[in-house]
Amino acid sequence: MSIKERLEIILEKIAKAADKAGRKPEEVKLLGASKTQPPEKIREAFAAGLSLFGENYVQEAKKKKEALADLPLTWHLIGYLQRNKAKDALKIFDLIETVDREAIATELEKRAARLEKVVPVFIEVNVGGEETKAGVAPEELPALVECVLGLSHLRLEGLMTIPPYREDPEEVRPFFVRLRELKEDLERRFPEAKFRELSMGMSHDFHVAVEEGATIVRVGTALFGPRPKK
């Protein structure tokens, strides 16, 4: 099956899930999670109509962006960001989805100030409390939001999560509900902020995420096929 065919199936599922939730399909953006995928696959996805892509690693993204410089693509960082990669990340990505601690927020602020740019960011929340995953704990989220809102070169636009994997997508639903509820609580606490985006849902559960309010779904395998073996 071609990427174009897979893309059509995914968009149809998004539309059905949005309709079920009383939402408009255009409220949901599809991000191609292109980790380990070669530039040719991204080029093929762009030809099929997709322009938003997410990468996990700064160096890998840098090479791909250079190889695809002729295309008008938008790049999100969707992987853990180390402080020593902050400078490069700001030059490569249009948006950082994985701000999860004050140290990385302040490092991004310092680097963005030097570049004289304002960077849109999401805060990553560890809704499942998994020790192996990045993300701020829900109870520590308000303090991190306050920190980010106080930084003049970061523009907080939403929340992101990678919930625990469950074979049955319905078992993931509570984690999506939790992120949406956290967003709603933050909007009450910080009326000056605008949490426009909820980045949640991946290949096997994105339809459930859309039903629960996702505005960005990050889809890799369902779009590109199995990841290439290194």
Side-chain angles (χ1 to χ4, degrees), residues 109-224:
E109 168 70 17
K110 180 175 74 174
R111 297 292 183 178
R114 289 177 185 172
L115 293 169
E116 296 184 339
K117 64 188 292 187
V118 176
V119 188
V121 299
F122 299 167
I123 289 179
E124 181 178 0
V125 188
N126 189 341
V127 289
E130 296 175 283
E131 291 184 7
T132 55
K133 285 208 179 127
V136 65
E139 60 271 17
E140 296 170 6
L141 176 58
L144 182 54
V145 167
E146 195 165 1
C147 165
V148 174
L149 289 177
L151 301 173
S152 57
H153 293 84
L154 300 189
R155 186 173 72 243
L156 182 56
E157 295 194 347
L159 304 177
M160 178 265 217
T161 196
I162 303 173
Y165 179 82
R166 299 285 188 269
E167 197 69 38
D168 180 359
E170 281 300 324
E171 293 181 14
V172 190
R173 189 183 295 275
F175 299 106
F176 297 146
V177 171
R178 178 74 170 128
L179 192 70
R180 188 187 72 238
E181 290 174 344
L182 288 168
K183 170 185 174 287
E184 291 167 353
D185 178 61
L186 290 171
E187 286 171 337
R188 287 188 291 270
R189 289 195 191 202
F190 302 96
E192 73 278 16
K194 290 182 175 62
F195 297 88
R196 298 183 183 89
E197 309 283 4
L198 277 182
S199 176
M200 59 187 192
M202 295 188 281
S203 284
H204 83 296
D205 57 19
F206 67 85
H207 59 291
V208 177
V210 171
E211 290 174 14
E212 296 302 338
T215 63
I216 296 176
V217 292
R218 309 180 305 274
V219 180
T221 306
L223 176 65
F224 295 106

